[in-house]
Amino acid sequence: MNKPVLGSTFARVTAIVVVVALVVATVAVVLTRTTHTTVQSRLLTASELPAGWSAVAPQPSTLNLSKSACLAGLPSETTANVSSASASFAERSALPGLGEYLATGPSIASSYARATRALAACHSLAFTQSKKTINATISPLSVPKVGSASSSYTLRFSIKGFPVVVDIVLFRTLSYLGEIIFSDSVPPQLATLTMLARAAVAKADGRSVRVSAISVVSARVLVAHTSMGAVGYRIFGHGPPLVLIMGYGGTMQTWDPRFVDALAQRHRVVMFDNAGIGQTHALATPLTIDAMAEQTSA
């Protein structure tokens, strides 16, 4: 009975992933996408991201930005002026998604200035994909400065009724112009976006990086040794603590990561496996609601 619903949800998520990948390939419209091996080596890689993230093939851009006057007039650089490369990643092969773009050349300063002026002038963005017009809003985002200069913006739109948030950080270093694009169905924590942008700047500068957990999915499983046995759990986010208790028979992996990540923006979320599941020890006493509550308390 659930198959049509699951199929519909999968189709919507697939559509989002494709369109977001195309946005990643289109948003830095001031630069020509000419892959350069030296620049490629300065991009983040899947091995530097938390567990659960993998590289995905960049999509060729088919988006039409002609309906957005504030961006449509931006000129492209010639391949002689700019060497560039891009990379795309996804968590669990879906959302959230991460895109990075990096370019170097004598005109990166003027390109950065034009891009930031254009994005600052845009309050709405319309693009077409598969003959359908998607209307997005765009607004500034308060992210701490990274590199020698940076600016941040957030795009919001929906696809088949599914909300999409695309956060963008444009940055400059001494030799590179870069862009980090993080997309999800809920806004990421600013700390997450800042951490990714700082990692991108560090990699562009030739420094080694390692990004810590940016989602509950990539938060490692810990074990609490209690008076009622070991309990496997994950903890993620900041704020007042909030404990999520899964129904018996389910695991903490059953929680929708987007739901948990949204809660983690305002709470320190703790989720765990019940007795006898995962890395949580079975109870020596009969399995009762009271005994499970005691183990949770412990």
Side-chain angles (χ1 to χ4, degrees):
M1 292 179 64
N2 289 334
K3 285 186 178 180
V5 176
L6 291 175
S8 175
T9 300
F10 177 78
R12 286 190 299 171
V13 170
T14 300
I16 292 168
V17 172
V18 171
V19 172
V20 166
L22 293 171
V23 171
V24 169
T26 304
V27 127
V29 292
V30 295
L31 296 169
T32 299
R33 305 202 167 256
T34 305
T35 301
H36 192 279
T37 53
T38 302
V39 183
Q40 190 80 42
S41 67
R42 296 298 180 97
L43 291 170
L44 292 173
T45 63
S47 63
E48 292 161 335
L49 297 175
W53 284 82
S54 58
V56 296
Q59 297 285 332
S61 176
T62 58
L63 294 184
N64 182 355
L65 290 170
S66 61
K67 293 187 177 182
S68 298
C70 56
L71 294 183
L74 285 174
S76 295
E77 301 290 353
T78 65
T79 55
N81 289 337
V82 173
S83 297
S84 63
S86 62
S88 297
F89 309 92
E91 187 180 60
R92 285 184 164 182
S93 301
L95 292 177
L98 173 66
E100 184 185 6
Y101 176 71
L102 199 63
T104 187
S107 58
I108 60 171
S110 59
S111 295
Y112 173 82
R114 287 201 304 276
T116 52
R117 282 198 303 269
L119 288 170
C122 279
H123 304 293
S124 61
L125 185 68
F127 51 90
T128 57
Q129 167 65 20
S130 301
K131 298 182 180 180
K132 292 184 178 179
T133 299
I134 299 173
N135 294 300
T137 61
I138 180 169
S139 56
L141 196 60
S142 298
V143 175
K145 189 184 82 168
V146 295
S148 58
S150 64
S151 57
S152 309
Y153 305 88
T154 185
L155 278 73
R156 293 174 184 264
F157 54 93
S158 63
I159 301 173
K160 298 183 179 180
F162 202 102
V164 181
V165 180
V166 181
D167 285 349
I168 304 167
V169 179
L170 293 172
F171 65 84
R172 270 188 60 200
T173 67
L174 184 62
S175 303
Y176 291 94
L177 168 60
E179 178 183 62
I180 282 289
I181 301 179
F182 190 95
S183 55
D184 204 347
S185 57
V186 296
Q189 298 184 64
L190 290 182
T192 295
L193 197 60
T194 303
M195 179 167 51
L196 288 166
R198 285 174 175 166
V201 168
K203 186 68 181 287
D205 285 339
R207 290 176 279 151
S208 60
V209 298
R210 182 87 181 177
V211 181
S212 58
I214 56 179
S215 167
V216 69
V217 175
S218 54
R220 66 191 182 96
V221 177
L222 304 173
V223 177
H225 298 281
T226 79
S227 59
M228 299 191 69
V231 177
Y233 71 100
R234 276 177 165 154
I235 188 165
F236 186 68
H238 303 279
L242 179 64
V243 179
L244 302 184
I245 304 176
M246 176 54 62
Y248 191 75
T251 73
M252 58 180 155
Q253 317 293 347
T254 307
W255 292 105
D256 187 326
R258 291 185 292 274
F259 170 69
V260 178
D261 287 352
L263 293 176
Q265 294 190 41
R266 297 182 182 275
H267 294 276
R268 190 165 180 244
V269 179
V270 180
M271 51 198 294
F272 65 97
D273 284 334
N274 285 310
I277 296 174
Q279 297 189 47
T280 301
H281 283 184
L283 292 171
T285 58
L287 186 64
T288 64
I289 295 296
D290 286 347
M292 291 173 68
E294 289 294 334
Q295 188 181 50
T296 300
S297 177

